């Protein structure tokens, strides 16, 4: 199972592009997303948050550590909201 989260990222007005570039630099291709935690996508937003990033990870523990160590600690990030995604089979 792969853990997936969408991270809403808050930053000061006028710093969105700098934060975007820093989070964009976390993106890297992965041969197998089941083995490596990484930023898969990042987009700038209009509204209450400046950016959104999609993070994939082998499990939720690694995902949480990555979000805190890499995204929340990025320069000019003032807050985050993590929305974890779940999958289930509907029969």
């Amino acid at each position: 199972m792969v853990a997936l989260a969408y991270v809403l990222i808050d930053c000061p007005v006028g710093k969105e592009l700098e934060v975007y570039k820093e989070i964009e630099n976390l993106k890297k291709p992965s041969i197998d997303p089941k083995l490596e935690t990484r930023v898969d996508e990042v987009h700038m937003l209009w509204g209450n948050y400046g950016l959104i990033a999609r993070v994939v990870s082998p499990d939720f523990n690694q995902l949480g550590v990555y979000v805190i160590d890499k995204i929340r600690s990025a320069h000019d990030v003032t807050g985050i909201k993590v929305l974890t995604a779940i999958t289930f089979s509907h029969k």
Side-chain angles (χ1 to χ4, degrees):
M1 176 165 106
V2 175
L4 172 65
Y6 293 91
V7 182
L8 295 166
I9 303 166
D10 195 16
C11 61
V13 174
K15 297 292 184 177
E16 296 89 355
L17 186 56
E18 289 89 350
V19 175
Y20 173 86
K21 288 177 183 177
E22 188 167 349
I23 303 302
E24 177 77 13
N25 285 335
L26 297 174
K27 285 176 56 176
K28 57 184 173 180
S30 178
I31 296 170
D32 187 353
K34 295 177 186 169
L35 301 175
E36 182 180 37
T37 303
R38 63 191 173 86
V39 170
D40 194 40
E41 297 178 34
V42 61
H43 303 280
M44 291 175 60
L45 301 173
W46 293 103
N48 295 332
Y49 290 89
L51 300 107
I52 187 168
R54 182 178 185 260
V55 181
V56 294
S57 180
D59 61 58
F60 285 103
N61 186 50
Q62 288 183 45
L63 188 143
V65 169
Y66 183 90
V67 167
I68 291 168
D69 287 351
K70 302 289 186 182
I71 297 176
R72 188 172 179 180
S73 64
H75 186 67
D76 285 323
V77 170
T78 58
I80 62 170
K81 181 177 276 191
V82 180
L83 307 170
T84 55
I86 60 169
T87 58
F88 64 94
S89 58
H90 185 266
K91 296 181 181 187

